[in-house]
Amino acid sequence: MAGHSIPLCRIMGIPIGLDYSWFVIFALLTWTLAAGYFPADYPHLTPTLYWAAGAMTAILVFASVLLHELGHAAVALRYRISVRSITLFIFGGVAQIDAEPPSAMAEFFIAVAGPLASLLLAAVFFGAQPLLGATGPLSGMASYLAYVNFSLALFNLIPGYPLDGGRVLRAIVWAATRSLRRATLFAANVGRFFGLLFIFMGVLQVLHGNASSGLWLAFIGWFLDSAAHAQVMQARMQDVMAGHRVAQAMRAHCVTVPADMALQELVDRFVLGSGQRSFLVERDGQIAGLATLHQIRAVPAQQWAATRVDQAMLPMEKAKSIEADAELWTALQVMDRNGVNQLPVTRERQVVGMLSREDIITFLRTISELKVFGPSAR
Protein backbone atom coordinates (compact mmCIF):
# COMPACT_ATOMS: atom_id res chain seq x y z
CA MET A 1 0.00 0.00 0.00
CA ALA A 2 2.83 2.38 0.79
CA GLY A 3 4.02 2.21 -2.82
CA HIS A 4 0.62 3.47 -4.02
CA SER A 5 0.25 6.41 -1.63
CA ILE A 6 0.76 10.14 -1.87
CA PRO A 7 2.89 11.56 0.97
CA LEU A 8 1.21 14.37 2.91
CA CYS A 9 3.25 15.26 5.98
CA ARG A 10 4.89 13.90 9.13
CA ILE A 11 3.27 13.86 12.56
CA MET A 12 5.32 12.69 15.56
CA GLY A 13 7.93 11.72 12.97
CA ILE A 14 5.47 9.34 11.26
CA PRO A 15 4.94 9.73 7.48
CA ILE A 16 1.26 10.33 6.65
CA GLY A 17 0.04 9.35 3.20
CA LEU A 18 -3.08 9.03 1.04
CA ASP A 19 -3.67 5.78 -0.83
CA TYR A 20 -5.13 6.39 -4.30
CA SER A 21 -8.29 4.54 -3.25
CA TRP A 22 -8.96 7.36 -0.77
CA PHE A 23 -10.12 9.63 -3.60
CA VAL A 24 -12.87 7.14 -4.48
CA ILE A 25 -14.42 7.14 -1.02
CA PHE A 26 -13.84 10.90 -0.63
CA ALA A 27 -15.78 11.59 -3.84
CA LEU A 28 -18.53 9.12 -2.88
CA LEU A 29 -18.90 10.53 0.64
CA THR A 30 -18.93 14.14 -0.62
CA TRP A 31 -21.62 13.29 -3.18
CA THR A 32 -23.73 11.44 -0.60
CA LEU A 33 -23.60 14.37 1.81
CA ALA A 34 -24.14 17.06 -0.85
CA ALA A 35 -26.97 15.25 -2.64
CA GLY A 36 -28.75 13.66 0.32
CA TYR A 37 -27.80 14.54 3.88
CA PHE A 38 -27.56 18.34 3.75
CA PRO A 39 -30.49 18.99 1.31
CA ALA A 40 -32.78 16.83 3.48
CA ASP A 41 -31.96 18.70 6.70
CA TYR A 42 -31.34 22.18 5.22
CA PRO A 43 -33.58 22.51 2.14
CA HIS A 44 -33.12 26.27 1.58
CA LEU A 45 -29.37 26.37 0.91
CA THR A 46 -27.66 26.68 -2.48
CA PRO A 47 -26.13 23.69 -4.32
CA THR A 48 -22.69 25.29 -3.99
CA LEU A 49 -23.06 25.41 -0.22
CA TYR A 50 -24.25 21.79 -0.15
CA TRP A 51 -21.13 20.65 -2.03
CA ALA A 52 -18.81 22.82 0.07
CA ALA A 53 -20.33 21.45 3.30
CA GLY A 54 -20.14 17.92 1.93
CA ALA A 55 -16.48 18.23 0.96
CA MET A 56 -15.51 19.83 4.28
CA THR A 57 -17.36 17.16 6.24
CA ALA A 58 -15.66 14.39 4.22
CA ILE A 59 -12.26 15.93 4.95
CA LEU A 60 -13.08 16.10 8.68
CA VAL A 61 -14.22 12.47 8.61
CA PHE A 62 -10.79 11.43 7.39
CA ALA A 63 -9.12 13.82 9.83
CA SER A 64 -11.02 11.92 12.52
CA VAL A 65 -9.78 8.61 11.10
CA LEU A 66 -6.23 9.99 11.15
CA LEU A 67 -6.58 10.97 14.83
CA HIS A 68 -7.89 7.45 15.53
CA GLU A 69 -4.73 5.96 13.97
CA LEU A 70 -2.52 8.51 15.71
CA GLY A 71 -4.00 7.26 18.98
CA HIS A 72 -2.65 3.79 18.21
CA ALA A 73 0.66 5.23 17.05
CA ALA A 74 1.20 7.42 20.11
CA VAL A 75 0.79 4.49 22.51
CA ALA A 76 2.98 2.25 20.31
CA LEU A 77 5.73 4.87 20.41
CA ARG A 78 5.37 5.04 24.19
CA TYR A 79 6.22 1.33 24.25
CA ARG A 80 9.20 2.10 21.97
CA ILE A 81 7.67 0.36 18.99
CA SER A 82 8.40 2.24 15.78
CA VAL A 83 5.54 3.20 13.47
CA ARG A 84 6.52 3.02 9.81
CA SER A 85 3.65 5.09 8.39
CA ILE A 86 -0.05 5.93 8.54
CA THR A 87 -2.02 5.64 5.32
CA LEU A 88 -5.60 6.76 4.66
CA PHE A 89 -7.40 4.56 2.15
CA ILE A 90 -10.85 3.44 1.04
CA PHE A 91 -11.70 1.67 4.32
CA GLY A 92 -10.42 4.45 6.56
CA GLY A 93 -6.83 4.25 7.73
CA VAL A 94 -4.07 1.94 8.87
CA ALA A 95 -1.00 2.49 11.03
CA GLN A 96 1.95 0.32 9.97
CA ILE A 97 3.49 -0.72 13.30
CA ASP A 98 6.87 -2.37 12.82
CA ALA A 99 6.83 -5.00 15.57
CA GLU A 100 4.57 -7.03 17.79
CA PRO A 101 3.94 -5.45 21.21
CA PRO A 102 6.22 -6.65 24.01
CA SER A 103 3.37 -7.83 26.24
CA ALA A 104 -0.36 -8.49 26.38
CA MET A 105 -0.84 -5.29 28.36
CA ALA A 106 0.96 -3.26 25.68
CA GLU A 107 -1.24 -4.86 23.01
CA PHE A 108 -4.36 -3.98 25.00
CA PHE A 109 -3.47 -0.32 25.45
CA ILE A 110 -2.31 0.13 21.84
CA ALA A 111 -5.58 -1.44 20.63
CA VAL A 112 -7.98 0.61 22.78
CA ALA A 113 -6.23 3.93 22.11
CA GLY A 114 -7.88 4.30 18.68
CA PRO A 115 -11.50 3.71 19.77
CA LEU A 116 -10.96 5.95 22.81
CA ALA A 117 -9.76 8.74 20.50
CA SER A 118 -12.87 8.29 18.33
CA LEU A 119 -15.18 8.34 21.38
CA LEU A 120 -13.50 11.54 22.59
CA LEU A 121 -14.01 13.14 19.17
CA ALA A 122 -17.65 12.03 19.16
CA ALA A 123 -18.15 13.74 22.53
CA VAL A 124 -16.45 16.92 21.30
CA PHE A 125 -18.57 17.16 18.14
CA PHE A 126 -21.75 16.31 20.05
CA GLY A 127 -21.03 19.03 22.61
CA ALA A 128 -20.24 21.55 19.85
CA GLN A 129 -23.68 21.29 18.20
CA PRO A 130 -25.48 23.82 20.48
CA LEU A 131 -22.63 26.28 20.04
CA LEU A 132 -22.87 26.16 16.23
CA GLY A 133 -26.59 26.97 15.95
CA ALA A 134 -29.42 24.48 15.87
CA THR A 135 -30.44 25.09 12.25
CA GLY A 136 -27.20 25.87 10.42
CA PRO A 137 -25.09 23.53 8.29
CA LEU A 138 -22.22 23.75 10.80
CA SER A 139 -24.46 22.09 13.38
CA GLY A 140 -25.30 19.43 10.79
CA MET A 141 -21.62 18.82 10.17
CA ALA A 142 -20.96 18.44 13.90
CA SER A 143 -23.93 16.07 14.25
CA TYR A 144 -22.71 13.91 11.37
CA LEU A 145 -19.13 13.84 12.67
CA ALA A 146 -20.31 12.88 16.16
CA TYR A 147 -22.29 9.99 14.64
CA VAL A 148 -19.39 8.88 12.41
CA ASN A 149 -16.83 8.90 15.23
CA PHE A 150 -19.16 7.03 17.58
CA SER A 151 -19.87 4.46 14.83
CA LEU A 152 -16.15 4.17 14.06
CA ALA A 153 -15.41 3.39 17.70
CA LEU A 154 -18.22 0.80 17.94
CA PHE A 155 -17.30 -0.88 14.64
CA ASN A 156 -13.64 -1.15 15.56
CA LEU A 157 -14.54 -2.72 18.91
CA ILE A 158 -16.05 -5.74 17.16
CA PRO A 159 -13.97 -8.61 18.65
CA GLY A 160 -12.49 -9.85 15.39
CA TYR A 161 -8.84 -9.47 14.42
CA PRO A 162 -7.47 -7.28 12.82
CA LEU A 163 -10.08 -4.79 14.11
CA ASP A 164 -9.19 -3.04 17.36
CA GLY A 165 -11.69 -5.17 19.26
CA GLY A 166 -9.98 -8.25 17.86
CA ARG A 167 -6.66 -6.95 19.12
CA VAL A 168 -8.21 -6.41 22.55
CA LEU A 169 -9.48 -10.00 22.40
CA ARG A 170 -6.00 -11.15 21.35
CA ALA A 171 -4.49 -9.31 24.34
CA ILE A 172 -6.92 -11.02 26.73
CA VAL A 173 -6.29 -14.49 25.27
CA TRP A 174 -2.56 -13.78 25.20
CA ALA A 175 -2.61 -12.90 28.91
CA ALA A 176 -4.65 -16.02 29.71
CA THR A 177 -2.66 -18.51 27.61
CA ARG A 178 0.76 -16.79 27.61
CA SER A 179 0.94 -17.63 23.89
CA LEU A 180 0.87 -14.84 21.30
CA ARG A 181 0.53 -17.40 18.53
CA ARG A 182 -2.55 -19.07 20.02
CA ALA A 183 -4.08 -15.68 20.80
CA THR A 184 -3.53 -14.47 17.23
CA LEU A 185 -5.06 -17.59 15.69
CA PHE A 186 -8.08 -17.40 17.99
CA ALA A 187 -8.71 -13.68 17.38
CA ALA A 188 -8.15 -14.03 13.61
CA ASN A 189 -10.64 -16.90 13.34
CA VAL A 190 -13.18 -14.81 15.24
CA GLY A 191 -12.44 -12.05 12.71
CA ARG A 192 -13.17 -14.46 9.87
CA PHE A 193 -16.49 -15.35 11.53
CA PHE A 194 -17.56 -11.71 11.66
CA GLY A 195 -16.36 -11.14 8.11
CA LEU A 196 -18.47 -14.03 6.80
CA LEU A 197 -21.39 -12.83 8.94
CA PHE A 198 -21.20 -9.37 7.33
CA ILE A 199 -21.11 -10.94 3.87
CA PHE A 200 -24.19 -13.02 4.69
CA MET A 201 -26.06 -9.99 6.10
CA GLY A 202 -25.07 -7.93 3.06
CA VAL A 203 -26.39 -10.56 0.65
CA LEU A 204 -29.67 -10.68 2.61
CA GLN A 205 -30.04 -6.91 2.31
CA VAL A 206 -29.42 -7.09 -1.44
CA LEU A 207 -32.09 -9.81 -1.78
CA HIS A 208 -34.54 -7.62 0.14
CA GLY A 209 -34.00 -4.72 -2.23
CA ASN A 210 -31.46 -2.68 -0.28
CA ALA A 211 -28.67 -3.11 -2.81
CA SER A 212 -26.41 -0.16 -1.97
CA SER A 213 -26.01 -0.76 1.79
CA GLY A 214 -26.04 -4.54 1.27
CA LEU A 215 -23.18 -4.46 -1.22
CA TRP A 216 -21.19 -2.12 1.02
CA LEU A 217 -21.72 -4.37 4.04
CA ALA A 218 -20.70 -7.44 2.02
CA PHE A 219 -17.62 -5.57 0.77
CA ILE A 220 -16.59 -4.72 4.34
CA GLY A 221 -17.16 -8.36 5.32
CA TRP A 222 -14.98 -9.56 2.45
CA PHE A 223 -12.21 -7.15 3.47
CA LEU A 224 -12.38 -8.26 7.12
CA ASP A 225 -12.40 -11.96 6.19
CA SER A 226 -9.45 -11.49 3.83
CA ALA A 227 -7.41 -9.59 6.43
CA ALA A 228 -8.18 -12.16 9.14
CA HIS A 229 -7.38 -15.04 6.77
CA ALA A 230 -4.03 -13.41 5.98
CA GLN A 231 -3.26 -13.33 9.72
CA VAL A 232 -4.13 -17.03 10.05
CA MET A 233 -1.86 -17.90 7.11
CA GLN A 234 0.93 -15.76 8.55
CA ALA A 235 0.69 -17.55 11.90
CA ARG A 236 0.82 -20.93 10.13
CA MET A 237 3.81 -19.84 8.06
CA GLN A 238 5.56 -18.73 11.24
CA ASP A 239 4.93 -22.20 12.67
CA VAL A 240 6.50 -23.82 9.59
CA MET A 241 9.54 -21.51 9.82
CA ALA A 242 10.00 -22.04 13.54
CA GLY A 243 13.49 -23.33 14.35
CA HIS A 244 14.85 -22.81 10.85
CA ARG A 245 17.79 -20.49 10.26
CA VAL A 246 18.74 -18.16 7.45
CA ALA A 247 21.78 -20.34 6.65
CA GLN A 248 19.46 -23.19 5.65
CA ALA A 249 17.63 -21.21 2.97
CA MET A 250 20.28 -18.79 1.68
CA ARG A 251 22.27 -19.14 -1.54
CA ALA A 252 25.92 -19.54 -0.54
CA HIS A 253 27.13 -19.25 -4.14
CA CYS A 254 25.84 -15.83 -5.10
CA VAL A 255 26.95 -13.91 -8.16
CA THR A 256 29.73 -11.39 -7.51
CA VAL A 257 30.58 -8.77 -10.15
CA PRO A 258 33.46 -6.29 -10.34
CA ALA A 259 32.76 -2.70 -9.37
CA ASP A 260 33.98 -1.32 -12.72
CA MET A 261 31.68 -3.48 -14.85
CA ALA A 262 29.28 -1.49 -17.01
CA LEU A 263 25.60 -1.82 -16.20
CA GLN A 264 24.91 -2.79 -19.81
CA GLU A 265 27.26 -5.77 -19.52
CA LEU A 266 25.70 -6.74 -16.19
CA VAL A 267 22.23 -6.73 -17.74
CA ASP A 268 23.28 -8.59 -20.90
CA ARG A 269 25.42 -11.27 -19.23
CA PHE A 270 23.67 -11.91 -15.95
CA VAL A 271 20.16 -10.41 -15.82
CA LEU A 272 19.03 -11.39 -19.33
CA GLY A 273 21.57 -14.18 -19.78
CA SER A 274 20.97 -16.17 -16.60
CA GLY A 275 17.99 -14.55 -14.91
CA GLN A 276 19.90 -13.26 -11.87
CA ARG A 277 18.22 -10.42 -9.97
CA SER A 278 20.73 -9.42 -7.29
CA PHE A 279 24.52 -9.17 -7.24
CA LEU A 280 27.28 -8.54 -4.77
CA VAL A 281 29.71 -5.89 -5.99
CA GLU A 282 33.42 -6.49 -5.36
CA ARG A 283 36.09 -3.82 -5.16
CA ASP A 284 39.74 -4.53 -4.21
CA GLY A 285 38.85 -8.00 -2.95
CA GLN A 286 36.10 -6.68 -0.63
CA ILE A 287 32.31 -6.68 -0.95
CA ALA A 288 31.52 -3.00 -1.52
CA GLY A 289 27.81 -3.03 -2.21
CA LEU A 290 24.66 -4.64 -3.53
CA ALA A 291 23.22 -4.22 -7.02
CA THR A 292 19.62 -5.27 -7.66
CA LEU A 293 17.07 -4.69 -10.38
CA HIS A 294 15.81 -1.75 -8.33
CA GLN A 295 19.19 0.01 -8.55
CA ILE A 296 19.55 -0.87 -12.25
CA ARG A 297 16.09 0.52 -13.11
CA ALA A 298 16.96 3.78 -11.34
CA VAL A 299 19.48 4.47 -14.13
CA PRO A 300 18.01 5.35 -17.58
CA ALA A 301 18.65 2.50 -20.03
CA GLN A 302 20.47 4.78 -22.47
CA GLN A 303 23.09 5.43 -19.76
CA TRP A 304 23.80 1.79 -18.88
CA ALA A 305 26.80 1.51 -21.23
CA ALA A 306 28.51 4.51 -19.59
CA THR A 307 27.58 3.73 -15.97
CA ARG A 308 29.71 1.44 -13.77
CA VAL A 309 28.04 -0.95 -11.35
CA ASP A 310 29.54 0.80 -8.33
CA GLN A 311 27.95 4.06 -9.46
CA ALA A 312 24.49 2.50 -9.24
CA MET A 313 24.92 0.01 -6.39
CA LEU A 314 23.68 0.35 -2.83
CA PRO A 315 26.80 0.66 -0.62
CA MET A 316 27.12 -2.24 1.81
CA GLU A 317 27.07 0.08 4.83
CA LYS A 318 23.60 1.26 3.77
CA ALA A 319 22.25 -2.16 2.81
CA LYS A 320 20.12 -4.16 5.22
CA SER A 321 21.65 -7.52 6.05
CA ILE A 322 20.85 -10.53 8.21
CA GLU A 323 23.02 -12.88 10.27
CA ALA A 324 23.31 -16.46 9.00
CA ASP A 325 22.20 -17.81 12.40
CA ALA A 326 19.12 -15.57 12.60
CA GLU A 327 15.64 -17.11 12.51
CA LEU A 328 14.22 -17.38 9.00
CA TRP A 329 11.02 -15.69 10.20
CA THR A 330 13.09 -12.74 11.44
CA ALA A 331 14.63 -12.37 7.98
CA LEU A 332 11.20 -12.23 6.37
CA GLN A 333 10.12 -9.53 8.85
CA VAL A 334 13.25 -7.51 8.05
CA MET A 335 12.40 -7.72 4.34
CA ASP A 336 8.82 -6.59 4.97
CA ARG A 337 9.81 -3.70 7.23
CA ASN A 338 12.37 -2.37 4.77
CA GLY A 339 10.51 -3.11 1.55
CA VAL A 340 13.31 -5.26 0.05
CA ASN A 341 13.22 -8.62 -1.69
CA GLN A 342 16.70 -9.86 -0.78
CA LEU A 343 19.25 -9.53 2.01
CA PRO A 344 23.00 -10.12 2.14
CA VAL A 345 23.73 -12.82 4.73
CA THR A 346 26.66 -12.21 7.05
CA ARG A 347 28.68 -14.19 9.56
CA GLU A 348 31.29 -12.42 11.67
CA ARG A 349 30.77 -9.32 9.49
CA GLN A 350 31.66 -11.21 6.32
CA VAL A 351 29.13 -11.74 3.54
CA VAL A 352 28.56 -15.48 3.15
CA GLY A 353 25.48 -15.57 0.93
CA MET A 354 22.24 -13.99 -0.24
CA LEU A 355 18.67 -14.62 0.86
CA SER A 356 15.68 -13.65 -1.28
CA ARG A 357 11.94 -14.13 -0.94
CA GLU A 358 12.20 -16.73 -3.71
CA ASP A 359 14.79 -18.62 -1.65
CA ILE A 360 12.42 -18.66 1.32
CA ILE A 361 9.52 -19.90 -0.81
CA THR A 362 11.68 -22.64 -2.32
CA PHE A 363 12.89 -23.70 1.13
CA LEU A 364 9.33 -23.79 2.52
CA ARG A 365 8.16 -25.84 -0.44
CA THR A 366 11.00 -28.30 0.11
CA ILE A 367 10.35 -28.86 3.83
CA SER A 368 6.63 -29.09 3.10
CA GLU A 369 7.23 -31.85 0.58
CA LEU A 370 9.56 -33.64 3.00
CA LYS A 371 7.09 -33.03 5.86
CA VAL A 372 10.00 -31.99 8.06
CA PHE A 373 9.49 -28.99 10.32
CA GLY A 374 11.31 -27.25 13.13
CA PRO A 375 14.81 -27.73 14.48
CA SER A 376 14.93 -31.42 13.59
CA ALA A 377 15.32 -30.45 9.93
CA ARG A 378 18.73 -28.88 10.54
Side-chain angles (χ1 to χ4, degrees):
M1 186 179 298
H4 300 86
S5 65
I6 302 170
L8 292 181
C9 61
R10 284 180 175 267
I11 300 177
M12 299 187 297
I14 304 168
I16 311 298
L18 283 182
D19 186 80
Y20 294 137
S21 65
W22 177 86
F23 292 98
V24 175
I25 194 63
F26 173 75
L28 181 61
L29 183 56
T30 300
W31 173 76
T32 300
L33 293 167
Y37 177 75
F38 284 110
D41 287 356
Y42 309 100
H44 303 298
L45 302 179
T46 65
T48 300
L49 193 53
Y50 289 143
W51 282 97
M56 181 58 67
T57 304
I59 290 172
L60 289 174
V61 165
F62 280 94
S64 298
V65 172
L66 176 58
L67 289 173
H68 177 107
E69 297 302 327
L70 284 171
H72 293 306
V75 179
L77 292 174
R78 187 174 180 83
Y79 281 100
R80 299 185 179 181
I81 303 172
S82 63
V83 181
R84 193 187 319 166
S85 64
I86 294 177
T87 305
L88 301 178
F89 69 120
I90 192 169
F91 285 108
V94 60
Q96 296 285 344
I97 297 176
D98 273 345
E100 293 286 9
S103 66
M105 182 175 292
E107 170 76 334
F108 178 84
F109 285 122
I110 293 171
V112 299
L116 286 177
S118 295
L119 289 174
L120 179 60
L121 286 170
V124 169
F125 285 120
F126 182 80
Q129 291 179 60
L131 305 176
L132 298 174
T135 59
L138 291 179
S139 178
M141 290 172 61
S143 175
Y144 185 84
L145 290 166
Y147 167 78
V148 165
N149 278 283
F150 185 72
S151 300
L152 180 64
L154 287 185
F155 175 76
N156 274 279
L157 286 174
I158 292 173
Y161 198 81
L163 294 176
D164 297 336
R167 297 191 63 183
V168 171
L169 176 62
R170 183 172 80 149
I172 294 171
V173 177
W174 184 2
T177 64
R178 300 182 184 274
S179 170
L180 176 59
R181 172 193 165 278
R182 290 172 60 186
T184 300
L185 283 173
F186 181 81
N189 280 310
V190 173
R192 294 205 68 189
F193 168 78
F194 278 103
L196 295 173
L197 179 63
F198 285 172
I199 293 173
F200 176 73
M201 293 171 61
V203 171
L204 282 183
Q205 288 198 25
V206 170
L207 294 177
H208 285 83
N210 193 356
S212 59
S213 61
L215 288 173
W216 185 244
L217 185 61
F219 194 34
I220 292 174
W222 168 81
F223 178 80
L224 179 57
D225 176 63
S226 298
H229 178 67
Q231 290 296 325
V232 172
M233 296 306 295
Q234 178 176 304
R236 290 176 178 171
M237 182 181 293
Q238 188 173 1
D239 286 345
V240 174
M241 289 187 183
H244 292 292
R245 305 290 175 180
V246 169
Q248 294 176 271
M250 73 176 190
R251 284 174 286 117
H253 303 290
C254 47
V255 177
T256 302
V257 297
D260 58 356
M261 176 182 283
L263 280 182
Q264 187 65 63
E265 183 180 357
L266 176 68
V267 171
D268 292 341
R269 286 182 57 189
F270 296 103
V271 178
L272 300 179
S274 58
Q276 298 290 325
R277 300 173 63 88
S278 60
F279 311 88
L280 295 173
V281 182
E282 185 180 48
R283 182 195 294 128
D284 299 327
Q286 300 292 324
I287 301 300
L290 178 67
T292 68
L293 293 187
H294 178 75
Q295 277 82 42
I296 296 172
R297 285 197 302 264
V299 179
Q302 60 270 25
Q303 298 179 19
W304 288 352
T307 304
R308 299 195 314 269
V309 173
D310 61 353
Q311 293 175 305
M313 72 178 186
L314 179 66
M316 189 55 65
E317 58 269 20
K318 294 183 179 180
K320 296 295 179 181
S321 60
I322 190 76
E323 283 288 324
D325 292 330
E327 290 276 352
L328 195 55
W329 176 252
T330 301
L332 189 58
Q333 289 180 306
V334 172
M335 289 182 187
D336 288 340
R337 281 199 301 268
N338 294 282
V340 298
N341 293 316
Q342 58 277 312
L343 294 169
V345 181
T346 60
R347 180 179 283 121
E348 297 179 356
R349 299 185 179 182
Q350 297 296 317
V351 177
V352 295
M354 288 288 294
L355 179 73
S356 68
R357 293 180 188 270
E358 290 80 3
D359 295 328
I360 296 175
I361 292 171
T362 299
F363 179 74
L364 292 178
R365 185 182 298 118
T366 300
I367 62 175
S368 176
E369 291 174 355
L370 293 174
K371 299 187 184 300
V372 177
F373 305 98
S376 60
R378 296 182 193 180

